[in-house]
Amino acid sequence: MGRHSLPDERGTATSGPRPRSRGRTVAIATALVLVVAGGAAAAVGAGLLALGGSCGDDAVRLEVVAAPAVSPALREAADEAREQEITSDGHCIDVRVTARDSYEVAAELRSGKGGPEYDVWVPDSDVWVQRVGLGGRQSKIAPAGNIASSPVGIGMVPSAAESLGWPRKTYSWPELTTAATKGDKLRLGTADPARSASGLLALAKMGASAKKQGGKEGGTRAAALAKALASRTTDDDGRLLDTLVRDGSGAERGNPRRNQALILSEQAAYTHNASAGEENSLDLFYPKDGSPRLDYPYTLVEDGRMSTDTSRAALRFMTMFGEDDGRRILAEHGFRTDLDRPSKRLVTAAGGRTPQPYADEATDPPSDKELQETLGMWTITVQSARLSTVVDASESMRQLVPGRDQSRMEVTKASLLRALAGFTDEDEIGLWEFATRLDGARDYRELEPTRRLGDRKGGVTHRDELSDAFAGLQPVPGGATGLYDTTLAAYKEARSTYARGRFNALVILTDGANQDPGSISRSSLIAQLEEISDRDHPVPIIAIAVGPEADKDEVQQIAEATGGSGHQVDDPAQIHAVILKAIMEAGSNQG
């Protein structure tokens, strides 16, 4: 078998598909190699890397770690490189490929601990490269280009797809996920967005689309979708397809633990369908508001420590995926190699059909900030919460809400009950009320302790008791707003009962400024809150000023002393949406 060198007319310009979403070009790869390989890129461009020498010489060993989905294609290309005696600078290249989940490698590189024992990393998405870049001690990495792509959509078993009008009817991401999360007729699963690029990109797209369609309520809708998805989440991509219902079995279709639809990449659907048989295959929806794409960045690791031979061999292996054999291997494994002309054969095998918009341009990738916000929202949405709720019961809560024949207290209660319905039985919620001299000399009183909503006592759940307590809130005749003493006492209690592994927060609702002349001062309150708050055990205050008399600046200063946030609403009916928004913001800050 003859040795194959890099032809003179080829350089890094044949490094394969580069999704336009990241704007990477071959020039980037060339520039990187000029830095890390001391002129290797110039040698590649001149076709000098593989001239001369013999495969009898010592081969250059190249260690590659890659996402499990792309590892088989990389191994096949490595085998071909050995069989075809492809060389780099006169040396054969001996590529060893290890499959590892991208989130694990990203965490390892971000920590900067130890020295990576691999030269190249091929995650399934650039989101992991971004995550590495957010760390302070991260290992040095240098993306050199993208070798493949695969859009993310929603795969469904045939009966479920048919019920939604596939392939004729098209949906946006919010429409698809809403259809799949209403009731239990169509169960939608996803891999954990904290560990899956497909799940994270889809969730970010859902959030962006929901906000675009829903205005102020879009964030709440996005969180509601995330909450629904959270109950059907697997730890990682590798386990997701195992949750799929076998469409031909009635028992399977009725199994509440089985999913009829999955958020997954086209390549994952392609691989599944190749062995599933027609009855258990997936039909693929490509949302009309755009499919995010996995982009498989070919990334040099600790490039400063690489020898010239290793860096050149790494680039030589990358260029294989821009050549006919490499592109063929990728296509046979279900990856796209041409963004402008996706293979109809591949799309059909993955479960796509026209008029599904499978050839549409990929959506713009989320920014670092959007990814952080999405991960924060997801973390808080899926994590069990421990919330202590403190409600103003001063006499001013009797005032009517403009445009409504209801008092502030009545609307506040309705909004709290609506918010309560969005929490699971695993969440812990308690209730205090406050007004001056409410309980002897104290301005506050505990109505329900903070404990699991699902806990039962005497045949009644804590959720039932809390609902009754919310419904029973009444303004105290002659009561004024005893805000400062109450806030300090409630915060000390929330800190002392901090629950690990949960999102802990103190929610305070007030319709006025502090009116207790005998209380501590605002400056003293803020100083004490700052002193007892703990970044390692955060309990942010979410303070909501209700109505025109409430002092937003005051609640903002108080909340920010604990890493929380202050908000103002004119209508108490907005409380439930503001609580959810504030939780999302606090979660993002903690991330």
Side-chain angles (χ1 to χ4, degrees):
M1 221 173 262
R3 291 189 298 276
H4 287 236
S5 300
L6 193 64
D8 289 347
E9 67 272 16
R10 288 182 180 169
T12 53
T14 58
S15 60
R18 293 159 299 277
R20 285 186 290 273
S21 61
R22 291 293 169 194
R24 289 204 182 93
T25 66
V26 178
I28 294 177
T30 302
L32 287 168
V33 181
L34 281 169
V35 173
V36 302
V44 171
L48 300 176
L49 290 189
L51 299 180
S54 166
C55 273
D57 298 336
D58 291 338
V60 178
R61 180 77 168 264
L62 190 66
E63 296 290 346
V64 178
V65 295
V70 77
S71 291
L74 295 181
R75 289 195 189 102
E76 187 173 335
D79 291 341
E80 183 138 331
R82 282 188 285 271
E83 292 171 5
Q84 298 293 329
E85 297 184 356
I86 291 175
T87 61
S88 167
D89 210 18
H91 299 281
C92 288
I93 55 176
D94 180 17
V95 182
R96 308 295 175 91
V97 180
T98 302
R100 287 187 62 188
D101 286 320
S102 298
Y103 75 90
E104 288 184 348
V105 180
E108 177 179 275
L109 292 173
R110 188 181 183 189
S111 72
K113 296 178 181 178
E117 297 181 356
Y118 39 90
D119 309 298
V120 174
W121 175 37
V122 186
D124 55 7
S125 172
D126 189 60
V127 301
W128 304 117
V129 177
Q130 291 184 56
R131 292 294 293 164
V132 173
L134 292 172
R137 301 174 55 193
Q138 71 269 22
S139 302
K140 187 176 181 182
I141 59 174
N146 303 80
I147 62 171
S149 71
S150 187
V152 176
I154 296 185
M156 295 189 188
V157 296
S159 60
E162 183 180 356
S163 71
L164 292 183
W166 178 92
R168 300 173 306 282
K169 189 171 181 180
T170 58
Y171 294 80
S172 66
W173 278 102
E175 289 168 345
L176 266 174
T177 49
T178 298
T181 52
K182 279 185 176 179
D184 198 40
K185 292 184 179 179
L186 179 59
R187 299 181 292 273
L188 173 64
T190 184
D192 183 351
R195 297 182 173 191
S196 163
S198 297
L200 177 57
L201 290 170
L203 187 62
K205 182 62 183 177
M206 284 179 223
S209 293
K211 289 174 185 176
K212 186 176 180 180
Q213 292 181 4
K216 293 181 179 180
E217 295 296 318
T220 304
R221 187 176 299 122
L225 289 172
K227 190 77 172 179
L229 283 173
S231 64
R232 313 203 66 81
T233 300
T234 61
D235 287 344
D236 51 48
D237 292 302
R239 303 181 186 184
L240 182 60
L241 283 159
D242 293 337
T243 70
L244 197 64
V245 66
R246 294 183 178 88
D247 200 43
S249 166
E252 284 284 296
R253 288 198 300 272
N255 187 337
R257 296 186 179 182
R258 292 291 190 183
N259 293 312
Q260 297 143 305
L262 304 174
I263 293 173
L264 78 177
S265 71
E266 180 183 78
Q267 189 274 336
Y270 174 96
T271 301
H272 170 80
N273 288 352
S275 59
E278 184 176 351
E279 191 175 37
N280 294 313
S281 65
L282 291 172
D283 295 328
L284 201 55
F285 281 89
Y286 299 78
K288 62 186 179 183
D289 49 346
S291 294
R293 286 182 179 166
L294 304 181
D295 53 7
Y296 302 92
Y298 190 95
T299 309
L300 306 183
V301 180
E302 292 281 8
D303 50 287
R305 67 170 172 75
M306 278 191 189
S307 68
T308 300
D309 284 344
T310 302
S311 61
R312 290 176 175 178
L315 286 174
R316 180 63 186 97
F317 186 55
M318 184 184 78
T319 62
M320 286 184 62
F321 298 102
E323 299 166 358
D324 289 344
D325 286 344
R327 292 164 70 89
R328 171 186 53 77
I329 290 170
L330 289 169
E332 288 175 352
H333 285 268
F335 296 98
R336 293 192 181 190
T337 58
D338 189 332
L339 293 182
D340 297 319
R341 294 186 300 275
S343 164
K344 290 184 179 180
R345 182 194 66 81
L346 187 158
V347 171
T348 300
R353 300 284 192 283
T354 54
Q356 290 295 317
Y358 64 82
D360 282 5
E361 184 78 12
T363 58
D364 290 336
S367 65
D368 291 354
K369 182 176 183 291
E370 289 171 327
L371 288 175
Q372 284 289 83
E373 289 177 350
T374 299
L375 282 171
M377 181 268 287
W378 174 259
T379 300
I380 300 310
T381 302
V382 303
Q383 216 177 20
S384 293
R386 180 178 174 82
L387 303 180
S388 300
T389 309
V390 182
V391 180
D392 191 342
S394 60
E395 188 167 16
S396 58
M397 290 290 281
R398 293 185 187 277
Q399 294 186 23
L400 295 180
V401 175
R404 294 173 179 267
D405 189 24
Q406 291 177 301
S407 70
R408 291 175 184 170
M409 181 62 87
E410 289 172 322
V411 179
T412 295
K413 291 191 293 186
S415 191
L416 286 171
L417 287 167
R418 184 176 174 187
L420 180 63
F423 289 93
T424 71
D425 284 349
E426 295 301 314
D427 294 317
E428 299 177 0
I429 301 179
L431 175 63
W432 287 21
E433 63 176 348
F434 70 99
T436 51
R437 305 291 178 177
L438 180 64
D439 185 13
R442 295 193 307 182
D443 293 345
Y444 49 86
R445 177 168 55 203
E446 182 184 71
L447 298 179
E448 286 293 334
T450 303
R451 56 192 182 93
R452 282 181 70 253
L453 292 175
D455 284 352
R456 287 185 172 273
K457 185 171 64 176
V460 179
T461 67
H462 180 54
R463 183 190 296 274
D464 296 331
E465 293 174 329
L466 192 60
S467 296
D468 290 343
F470 279 150
L473 285 168
Q474 295 294 334
V476 176
T481 305
L483 181 61
Y484 295 164
D485 285 351
T486 300
T487 298
L488 183 59
Y491 193 75
K492 286 180 177 179
E493 174 69 14
R495 280 285 297 114
S496 67
T497 57
Y498 178 87
R500 291 181 179 274
R502 293 179 178 269
F503 172 71
N504 294 252
L506 174 64
V507 179
I508 299 177
L509 305 174
T510 181
D511 76 340
N514 184 67
Q515 297 172 323
D516 183 356
S519 73
I520 60 173
S521 66
R522 184 193 302 185
S523 60
S524 177
L525 170 62
I526 291 173
Q528 291 189 61
L529 291 175
E530 289 175 341
E531 182 178 351
I532 62 179
S533 62
D534 183 351
R535 289 177 60 87
D536 294 328
H537 304 89
V539 184
I541 288 178
I542 298 170
I544 303 175
V546 182
E549 288 87 19
D551 188 338
K552 181 183 178 182
D553 291 337
E554 179 175 63
V555 298
Q556 203 158 19
Q557 289 178 31
I558 293 170
E560 287 177 352
T562 65
S565 57
H567 309 264
Q568 184 166 27
V569 296
D570 294 329
D571 188 339
Q574 301 167 342
I575 288 172
H576 74 284
V578 170
I579 290 175
L580 183 54
K581 177 186 176 184
I583 288 174
M584 290 163 58
E585 290 176 354
S588 182
N589 291 337
Q590 290 177 27

